[in-house]
Amino acid sequence: MTQTNYSLAELVIVACAEAWRNDGEVMATGIGPLPRIGAGLAKMTFAPAIQTTDGEAWYTSEPVPPGKRVAESEYEGLSNYDRVFSALWSGRRHAMVGPVQIDRFGQANISMIGDHRKPKIAMLGARGFPGNSISHPNSFFFPSHNKRAFVEGEVDFVCMAGYNPERYIGGKPPRGLDLRIVVTNLCVMDFGGPDHQMRVVSLHPGVTFDEVQANTGFLLARIADDVPTTPAPTEEQLEIIARLDPNNVRASVFKDNPAGVREPA
Amino acid sequence: MLDKRMTVDDIVDQLSDGMTIGIGGWATRRKPMALIRAIARSKLKDLTIMAGYGGPDIGLLAATGKIRKLVFAFASLDHFPLEPHFRNARQAGAFEVLELDEGLYHWGLRAAAMKLPFLPSRVGIGTDIIRQSGFDFKMVKSPYEDSEELVAMPALVPDVALIHAHRSDERGNILTLSVDPLFDELLVRAAGVSFVTVEKIVSTAELEMKANSRFNLVERAMITGVAEAPFGAHPTSAAPDYQLDLKHIKAYVDSAASPEAWAEYKAKYIDVSEAEYQATIGGAEVVEALPVPVY
């Protein structure tokens, strides 16, 4: 039964889970609470074969909750640092990451803003983004959909490769490049438009396409004239989410933990 | 000589201005912090720091002006995602950087460990990593039928490697008892000259190598010197012996808020002997009781 009483965070978790639907037996890495709970939800429902980790060095049989652990996990395998590279270079991984910027090619940045020699804002550094991006599927989560995140032109420092022909010898991206979905506080997108143009595939309840476009620095395609509404969590999904997140970390992701169905302005 | 025991200060005496120093560990795990504090106190300058998986090692050396060039893939305190001293220094343009992908850094160490000039990789293709000013990344073409164009990741060869492990005997047979050995082995092999701080130096018999050999990272021939430095990774972790000290890391983060806050932290924790440092943080009892963090 479809619920109407759910939070935006819970709607987003359900949308994030979809990233792993057809992946088979891969390492699923969701960075940040909502993608992580999303991966857990996928594993507990339609994608039982995916492997999730304790955030450190082990695969566990069941997803590990964000925050305080409620019970000792059953460890089912080793995912130490070396093994993570072995898995990701093989392609048997799908990560959902939260960059600071993304552009129309799907190129993403977590390194810095401004001039690389003397940044205006220094952040993490490229981390594993370059290797992840050309080795296995990647999806994205942005808690705040705006033009600072969805930038006009290219991102300040391309950490994650994208569909920009100018960046490749012969214009052809490497075969491992496979950008899947982008989940935000407003909508779900993919790269299914012409020439991998980012495309709105569903709008969260109460959000319009024009609003998404107005908050994006480049032109978006849409899946249909009438873009579907992002599916609401089912009662079963809400119950599993509550079990996967007993500390209610999900309530702290969006300011004031807004409802999934937005009141008309 | 097979007795490789040294003090932390002996190790720092082996370092010199302008050297390329590789640092092991990962963000808040098993960083050789007693050595980092000793370098921060020393007169050393113009260092090239190789810390692919950086944490407070990068931050402390940045805050004390030791870094001329940084080779890294990230700098983070994990629970506090942004390394604030790294951030301040980088925003001030205090040092040059070569920014790499984590896997590419690993690959550069592996090339050096194998005494190869480079290893081919796809990593970096399509990104700004291979377009950085100040470093001319080369491509190589596969000589086989596929003819694929690949990144030639150059060997990363530090003058010395600094790592922190759990146990050693006087000969430099080391044990790294944590679940994740990280890439310390490759760093040691890449450098050829390696200094290791350990929680405890014990007899060879006490290492119980027959049971523990899988925790022995690397041949002792690769280890130049070992120094006993109990709690020498603090405030990062050396699990299972002790966990990271989140409270101290918070104090360290707060010390980046102003020059005054930094001066206070530096006077209290850096410009003191390691023994005073250990006493200030509460000694063995407090460090051993640090709770297991959740990730």
Side-chain angles (χ1 to χ4, degrees):
Chain A
M1 195 188 125
T2 300
Q3 300 291 299
T4 51
N5 186 21
Y6 56 87
S7 67
L8 177 60
E10 287 160 344
L11 179 81
V12 162
I13 289 166
V14 171
C16 288
E18 286 298 317
W20 289 280
R21 184 172 282 277
N22 299 309
D23 280 352
E25 208 159 349
V26 300
M27 177 184 203
T29 308
I31 304 289
L34 302 187
R36 175 169 162 175
I37 301 165
L41 178 63
K43 184 176 164 74
M44 299 307 285
T45 53
F46 53 77
I50 60 174
Q51 284 195 290
T52 54
T53 76
D54 67 343
E56 206 174 352
W58 300 102
Y59 290 111
T60 59
S61 299
E62 297 214 331
V64 167
K68 199 164 159 274
R69 308 276 157 87
V70 282
E72 171 82 352
S73 307
E74 180 179 274
Y75 295 129
E76 71 173 31
L78 189 61
S79 68
N80 67 24
Y81 209 25
D82 192 17
R83 293 277 292 270
V84 170
F85 288 102
S86 301
L88 85 85
W89 285 341
S90 80
R92 299 189 79 87
R93 184 194 196 208
H94 181 169
M96 179 177 265
V97 295
V100 172
Q101 296 179 319
I102 193 167
D103 61 28
R104 68 188 193 278
F105 304 110
Q107 298 176 145
N109 175 24
I110 43 161
S111 170
M112 57 96 231
I113 304 291
D115 176 357
H116 194 252
R117 282 161 299 183
K118 193 182 173 191
K120 200 166 106 209
I121 303 170
M123 300 173 302
L124 277 178
R127 283 222 63 166
F129 271 30
N132 294 357
S133 62
I134 50 96
S135 301
H136 59 66
N138 286 278
S139 293
F140 304 91
F141 168 63
F142 286 87
S144 197
H145 192 138
N146 58 48
K147 286 183 172 175
R148 283 192 312 281
F150 291 82
V151 298
E152 199 184 341
E154 289 186 84
V155 294
D156 286 35
F157 192 74
V158 176
C159 298
M160 184 164 258
Y163 301 110
N164 181 0
E166 188 269 325
R167 294 261 173 185
Y168 303 103
I169 296 167
K172 202 170 165 278
R175 65 187 152 206
L177 185 76
D178 183 357
L179 304 181
R180 297 280 180 87
I181 63 169
V182 185
V183 180
T184 79
N185 59 321
L186 299 180
C187 65
V188 179
M189 297 177 284
D190 67 10
F191 294 85
D195 297 325
H196 301 287
Q197 187 185 11
M198 216 183 283
R199 173 179 75 164
V200 178
V201 296
S202 73
L203 293 160
H204 297 346
V207 178
T208 66
F209 177 84
D210 290 347
E211 188 184 354
V212 173
Q213 182 62 77
N215 283 288
T216 306
F218 47 87
L219 273 182
L220 294 168
R222 57 171 101 194
I223 198 165
D225 287 341
D226 275 331
V227 180
T229 301
T230 307
T234 64
E235 200 173 331
E236 188 208 1
Q237 285 169 326
L238 286 174
E239 189 211 315
I240 295 168
I241 290 168
R243 263 195 285 135
L244 292 171
D245 180 27
N247 303 306
N248 202 19
V249 173
R250 64 192 181 284
S252 61
V253 173
F254 298 113
K255 190 173 179 292
D256 301 329
N257 194 25
V261 180
R262 201 164 63 164
E263 297 292 331
Chain B
M1 283 292 288
L2 274 177
D3 187 348
K4 295 178 183 167
R5 287 173 296 177
M6 310 173 78
T7 66
V8 166
D9 290 333
D10 292 338
I11 294 174
V12 176
D13 286 344
Q14 299 294 307
L15 311 177
S16 51
D17 294 350
M19 238 183 198
T20 297
I21 299 176
I23 304 170
W26 184 96
T28 52
R29 295 173 204 168
R30 254 186 22 257
K31 285 289 179 181
M33 294 306 292
L35 274 168
I36 299 299
R37 284 186 286 271
I39 294 171
R41 276 194 297 276
S42 75
K43 291 196 171 68
L44 285 166
K45 59 179 195 297
D46 296 331
L47 302 175
T48 292
I49 296 297
M50 279 176 42
Y53 320 117
D57 50 341
I58 291 181
L60 267 185
L61 296 177
T64 49
K66 298 297 178 190
I67 308 178
R68 188 187 64 74
K69 183 178 179 183
L70 177 67
V71 181
F72 80 118
F74 69 83
S76 172
L77 300 171
D78 205 20
H79 290 79
F80 300 89
L82 301 177
E83 212 308 337
H85 289 292
F86 156 80
R87 185 173 214 203
N88 289 347
R90 178 129 169 67
Q91 288 174 188
F95 45 76
E96 195 190 325
V97 298
L98 174 59
E99 184 168 344
L100 297 170
D101 163 271
E102 292 171 49
L104 213 50
Y105 181 85
H106 155 193
W107 218 222
L109 294 182
R110 195 174 287 278
M114 294 166 76
K115 311 300 171 203
L116 288 169
F118 73 91
L119 279 170
S121 176
R122 289 191 188 96
V123 179
I125 288 175
T127 73
D128 280 329
I129 291 295
I130 56 171
R131 289 184 173 187
Q132 287 176 82
S133 65
F135 192 87
D136 187 18
F137 270 98
K138 308 281 191 202
M139 303 295 283
V140 284
K141 195 177 196 149
S142 163
Y144 298 101
E145 219 172 307
D146 58 276
S147 298
E148 188 174 349
E149 292 275 354
L150 299 159
V151 174
M153 177 60 208
L156 293 173
V157 188
D159 295 314
V160 298
L162 305 179
I163 67 165
H164 186 78
H166 294 85
R167 304 286 179 273
S168 172
D169 61 12
E170 64 178 43
R171 302 171 199 170
N173 288 303
I174 63 167
L175 294 178
T176 297
L177 299 175
S178 46
V179 172
D180 196 334
L182 309 168
F183 289 108
D184 286 0
E185 178 205 340
L186 287 184
L187 178 66
V188 164
R189 292 190 188 281
V193 177
S194 295
F195 297 103
V196 188
T197 50
V198 294
E199 290 299 319
K200 203 170 162 49
I201 294 180
V202 299
S203 70
T204 306
E206 280 173 280
L207 292 174
E208 296 187 66
M209 269 302 173
K210 219 166 164 187
N212 290 327
S213 57
R214 70 201 152 118
F215 298 114
N216 175 221
L217 285 188
V218 66
E219 299 73 33
R220 64 170 158 75
M222 307 303 297
I223 306 297
T224 313
V226 287
E228 189 168 82
F231 310 112
H234 184 276
T236 71
S237 66
D241 286 358
Y242 54 93
Q243 309 294 333
L244 84 162
D245 187 341
L246 270 174
K247 222 170 111 190
H248 187 95
I249 288 173
K250 173 72 168 54
Y252 169 79
V253 167
D254 292 344
S255 77
S258 68
E260 295 74 34
W262 169 241
E264 197 184 318
Y265 181 93
K266 187 166 174 285
K268 193 169 173 190
Y269 297 113
I270 309 298
D271 299 333
V272 295
S273 70
E274 187 63 18
E276 285 171 274
Y277 176 88
Q278 296 295 340
T280 309
I281 61 170
E285 213 171 298
V286 168
V287 180
E288 278 166 357
L290 288 167
V292 179
V294 289
Y295 292 97

